[in-house]
Amino acid sequence: MEGITAYLLSITAAAILCAVVKLVVGDKGPAGKIIKAVSGVFLTVTLLSAVLQIELDDFEQFFDEYSASASQNACAGKQMADAAMADIIKQQAQAYILEEAERLGLTLKAEILLDDTSPPSITGVMLQGKAAPYKKAQLTQFIAENLGISQENQQWI
C-alpha cells in the first residue's frame, strides 16, 4: 500500500510542478511551447516510472550478455590483427633482407623469428644458403644496422 501512495504522491507533485512552471512562463511564445512539451514528457515519465523501474533490471541483464559477447569478439579481433601484423612484419623483413642479399650477389632463404608480444617484434633471423665470408659479414652487418637484429640472433645454415 505504501508503494501506491508514494506513486500517487509523485504523480501529484509532478503535475503541480508542471502547472506552476507553465503559469510562470506562460503559454505564449516559443518558450511557452517548449515548457509545455517538456512538462508533458516529464509527466509521462513520472506516470511510467513504476513500469520503467521493473524493466530496467531486465535491460541490465540484456546488455551484460552483449557486453560479454563484445569483449570476446574484441579479443578475437585483436588476436587476428596481431597475426596479420606478424605476417606483414615477416614479409617486409624477409623482402628487405633478400633484396640486400641479391644486391650482394647472394641467393638465400630467410626466415624471420618473432616474439609473442603485441605488436610482435623481430627476435632473430635464420638465413639459409652459401655465402663467401666477406659477403656474409656484409649482410650480417646490414641486418644488424637496419633491422636491429644483433649478430648473435642471426643464424646461418
Side-chain angles (χ1 to χ4, degrees):
M1 191 71 171
E2 263 183 48
I4 294 173
T5 305
Y7 178 66
L8 291 175
L9 191 59
S10 68
I11 292 172
T12 306
I16 292 171
L17 180 66
C18 289
V20 169
V21 170
K22 280 176 62 176
L23 280 174
V24 171
V25 175
D27 285 341
K28 297 179 182 175
K33 292 179 182 179
I34 291 172
I35 292 298
K36 195 173 186 178
V38 170
S39 296
V41 170
F42 178 68
L43 270 175
T44 304
V45 169
T46 304
L47 285 169
L48 297 175
S49 66
V51 176
L52 290 175
Q53 283 178 337
I54 293 169
E55 292 183 9
L56 286 178
D57 295 337
D58 295 340
F59 280 126
E60 185 177 323
Q61 183 181 9
F62 176 76
F63 287 121
D64 283 346
E65 291 173 14
Y66 280 108
S67 176
S69 177
S71 295
Q72 289 173 348
N73 289 339
C75 185
K78 185 174 180 342
Q79 289 173 347
M80 289 173 59
D82 285 346
M85 186 175 289
D87 287 341
I88 291 169
I89 291 170
K90 279 184 176 184
Q91 290 173 0
Q92 294 292 323
Q94 276 180 328
Y96 197 55
I97 291 169
L98 295 178
E99 186 178 296
E100 181 63 18
E102 187 177 317
R103 190 185 70 74
L104 292 172
L106 301 172
T107 304
L108 300 174
K109 289 183 183 179
E111 183 181 341
I112 304 298
L113 306 173
L114 301 175
D115 60 10
D116 292 333
T117 61
S118 179
S121 60
I122 300 173
T123 58
V125 63
M126 290 177 55
L127 300 162
Q128 185 176 3
K130 294 185 179 183
Y134 179 71
K135 302 264 182 176
K136 182 178 175 181
Q138 281 183 311
L139 186 60
T140 300
Q141 183 177 0
F142 174 83
I143 293 170
E145 289 175 358
N146 294 295
L147 293 176
I149 303 171
S150 65
Q151 188 173 0
E152 297 82 35
N153 294 327
Q154 298 179 35
Q155 190 176 42
W156 285 82
I157 301 173

